[in-house]
Amino acid sequence: MTCYIAELDETQQVIAVWIQEKSARSPRVFDPRKHIFDDTKSAEFSGAPKEKIRNWIVSAKG
């Protein structure tokens, strides 16, 4: 299962999202050129609600 981990600033806004995939040794910063966000698959969300994490990922894609 994939885990998305939100990094927040002092105002509780998402400033980065880390992704921990089950096959990876450690989490990495979500890179829209390398990672695919598929909210139809089961995933865990930590640090912020799923909606805030999804919104950050969508805006990072530009």
Side-chain angles (χ1 to χ4, degrees):
M1 181 181 317
T2 302
C3 182
Y4 297 93
I5 306 158
E7 184 175 339
L8 307 175
D9 65 10
E10 60 277 347
T11 64
Q12 302 302 305
Q13 297 300 311
V14 177
I15 58 171
V17 173
W18 294 72
I19 182 171
Q20 172 71 52
E21 296 174 301
K22 64 180 176 180
S23 61
R25 292 176 130 188
S26 61
R28 297 177 182 202
V29 174
F30 186 90
D31 182 345
R33 295 172 291 171
K34 296 179 184 175
H35 302 109
I36 297 171
F37 179 70
D38 184 359
D39 59 353
T40 62
K41 294 184 179 179
S42 67
E44 293 180 13
F45 297 87
S46 178
K50 177 182 176 179
E51 306 308 318
K52 281 190 166 186
I53 292 173
R54 188 186 70 72
N55 290 343
W56 185 89
I57 290 171
V58 168
S59 69
K61 289 183 178 183

